[in-house]
Amino acid sequence: MNIHGIGNWRVGIWSLVLIAACGAELADGQTSPAQEARPETVTFADAAASVNGVKIHYTQGGSGPAVVLLHGYAQTSHMWGPLMPELAKNHRVIVPDLRGAGRSEKAQGGYDKATMAADIHELVRSLGIDRASVVGHDIGLMVAYAYAAQFPGETERVVLMDAFLPGIGRWNDVWLLRDKWHFNFYGDTPLALVKGRERTYLEHFWNDFAADPGRSVSEEDRKLYAAAYAQEGAMRCGFEYFHNFEKDAADFAEFGKTKLRMPILVLTGEKASGEFLIDQARLVATDVRGEVVKGAGHWLIDESPGVVIPAIVSFVNEPADGAAVVRRVRSELLAELPGQRLTAMTVSYGPGGKSGPHRHAGSVFAYVLSGAIRSENSATGPARVYRAGESFFEPAASEHLVSENASDTDPASLLAVFIAPEGSVLTTSHDDNNAVEKEAGTAASLVDALNQLFGPQTTGRAVHTKGVVLEGRFTPDPAARALSRAPHFQAPVAVTVRFSNFAGVKSVADTDALANPRGVAVKFQLPDGTQTDLVMHSFNGFPAATAEEFRRFLIALATSGPGAAKPTPAETYLAAHPVAKAFLDSQTPAPLSYATLPYFGVNSYKFTNSAGQERIGRYRIEPDAGEQFMPAEQLAGAPADYLAREIRERVANAPVRLRLRVQLAQRGDAIQDPSVAWPEGREFVELGMIELRTAVPKSDEAEQRLLFRPGSLPTGIEAADPMIELRDGAYLESFARRHRASTAPGQNQNP
């Protein structure tokens, strides 16, 4: 290994860092990128992981940004054999057998596609991967869509290959086709009929769904798949994929209310799905390209590899607008270096891609995984090119003047390992005076940070765990109709409202400082049966400008408990982030009632009316009863749950009225920075009145069912702040975690 500019002692550290960052997460027998950066023939290795209550077998190989390949029915992960080595030239490729298939566990249940997507998500996370592209064929495409819909902030790109999406558009036109009888072929009698005749049954799929059975699945592969589905319990599991379509349809219809924004490629066979799947994808996503493969049937990889494989590889290899794509792969505090954190990231460049001049907070070791990187650092001499397998070192506070792909035709990637003080901003760009860590935060990492701060999540929410649910009606003001064509701004609709305390701890007292800020979430029941949500809190602002900065804020708090060395990570962070300090120091006193507090929207939205006129604004709720706070002498003797008691008594005597308004932005206002409150002199538009009339009798049960999503938006309202997508994903992630916990024996609500 060629180490440029560091001594022998650093070689030893660098070797350990590479093993920790690249090898520790790999299963026994796998090849680490540190051992083999870009071999002529990529080595793939098998492993298994217990995730989401099921054992999943998978194969992986290669290095770089992650790609997950999901097979369909009548096949296993083996189907991806022709594609895997091509993708692995520039990617880390993970190829699982789905729950119930191949060498994965034949679980009794969990064959709805949302649960199967959660299997794959937990597998990906267990491998230290925060973000991945997902490719799915047949049943696998349904799992791929459920993955992207539930974890949008962790999904880079999606490829959907020939089948359909239950619950989207005219899906019944496919589900009820007479020649698709197998969709309803399940149960004891079908299992008895197929037992011992698995090959005969599967031939129906391989032959009848191909454009030409002679160009369909090969004889060798047919034998392998028939043996796989002849395993004990395998055919029952396969039938369950179809048995769960109605549940999938309900789930997908809900997912489809929030359009996906990542790039999506749809590949279909001319003699199979044709334009149908492409049209469905355009109903649920904003960036869709579709290709109908001429002369092909359903088995695209087998029938048209010369068209399909290059299309997938080209799509997955595309850089994001030519910029470097940065993904965190490992982060941990170093026991031997108190107050220091090791953070490992992969940096991927498209052809000709580059990063602007910057400096780092700590020391950086860089190892080129693929291609060639041109680098120049102020402390290590003139620019030079480092190729796959070579590495270099950047001292703390040095200027990184050049960092770019040395090739205009091939992609390149490197592993960067930082050792820097906990809570510090790793990279400061020279393009502006703002410190920006060049790392994409993820929804799961946000929830991880909340769990780190408040304790492991069981069946309660990750934050704002303690709450109370009420029901009522929203009546729009005429001014709302002029602002947006959103359905609930046109006519009265029913609402469900949840008030809450901040902490992710069920037992937090209403009188505790951790209960601030208070929260309110509003679910509007729209005329077409869909829903849209607001999620707000009682502080005008937010402790961080970005989701990633908020994650670091939470971790700094979580690692600053009793016994933490001085200055603690929280003290260091707050000294460098006055906005976060103001958030902690400037909370309002405890309220007299949830109904006597104002609530502020965290993020900005774009409102469009029927004439196409657009305005940017932030929501505001103001109590009709006025702002009222609990006197200090009364607060000392107040019950721990006085707010829930008070709101129930209040609404039993008279409706609780809350004015919904929107504050409009003017030129120069921070649209994408929720930490900056807009001046109070800005124009407000009256949206209408929320009138709450009843408290839900079994509030805890209602809370468990409720999911509020700030990204669940109707026509006429769009996200204007990128944080909304990550917040939306975090709410989905928290919902998934608490519902998985609720099915585990012996689990109780968060203490």
Side-chain angles (χ1 to χ4, degrees), residues 34 38 48 61 72 87 94 140 165 198 206 262 265 319 328 372 384 454 473-474 497 509 532 584 611 635 668:
R38 193 172 180 182
L87 283 176
I94 299 99
L165 294 171
E198 291 83 6
W206 299 327
M262 74 286 294
L265 173 65
R328 186 179 68 254
R384 62 161 288 187
F454 293 117
R473 197 161 184 80
F474 171 70
V497 172
T532 185
L584 295 178
L635 185 65

Side-chain angles (χ1 to χ4, degrees), residues 466 501-503 506-516 518 588-592 594 630-644:
K466 180 180 180 181
N501 293 340
F502 169 71
K506 181 72 173 178
S507 60
V508 65
D510 296 351
T511 56
D512 195 308
L514 279 175
N516 270 329
R518 318 291 166 161
T588 57
L592 186 67
Y594 281 129
M630 177 77 77
E633 60 274 12
Q634 294 182 26
L635 185 65
D641 61 346
Y642 83 89
L643 286 172

Side-chain angles (χ1 to χ4, degrees), residues 463-493:
V463 70
H464 286 275
T465 307
K466 180 180 180 181
V468 60
V469 181
L470 297 95
E471 294 177 333
R473 197 161 184 80
F474 171 70
T475 303
D477 190 279
R481 188 180 299 112
L483 180 69
S484 170
R485 60 178 182 271
H488 58 309
F489 290 175
Q490 315 307 311
V493 297

Side-chain angles (χ1 to χ4, degrees), residues 304-448:
S304 298
V307 175
V308 173
I309 291 175
I312 296 173
V313 172
S314 175
F315 176 73
V316 173
N317 278 347
E318 289 180 9
D321 300 325
V325 178
V326 183
R327 300 286 174 256
R328 186 179 68 254
V329 295
R330 192 179 183 93
S331 181
E332 62 182 52
L333 285 170
L334 297 173
E336 62 275 21
L337 295 174
Q340 299 290 305
R341 176 172 289 275
L342 180 150
T343 304
M345 302 179 185
T346 59
V347 184
S348 303
Y349 295 96
K354 64 179 65 179
S355 300
H358 55 272
R359 72 176 65 89
H360 300 300
S363 300
V364 182
F365 298 86
Y367 179 88
V368 181
L369 297 170
S370 63
I373 300 291
R374 181 179 293 106
S375 177
E376 179 180 359
N377 185 276
S378 62
T380 57
R384 62 161 288 187
V385 174
Y386 300 87
R387 303 190 183 279
E390 296 184 321
S391 55
F392 54 91
F393 171 70
E394 299 177 44
S398 60
E399 303 286 331
H400 199 167
L401 305 174
V402 175
S403 181
E404 62 188 17
N405 186 349
S407 171
D408 291 328
T409 58
D410 297 318
S413 63
L414 60 82
L415 176 75
V417 181
F418 297 77
I419 297 179
E422 169 67 8
S424 62
V425 176
L426 297 183
T427 301
T428 302
S429 170
H430 289 193
D431 295 338
D432 53 45
N433 293 322
N434 294 321
V436 181
E437 183 174 339
K438 303 299 185 180
E439 174 190 357
T442 65
S445 67
L446 282 177
V447 181
D448 288 344

Side-chain angles (χ1 to χ4, degrees), residues 27 41 104 143 196 201 239 256 261 341 402 427 431 439 543 668 727:
T41 301
S104 288
V143 180
Y201 172 67
F239 285 176
R261 292 182 173 85
R341 176 172 289 275
V402 175
T427 301
D431 295 338
E439 174 190 357
R727 286 186 68 213

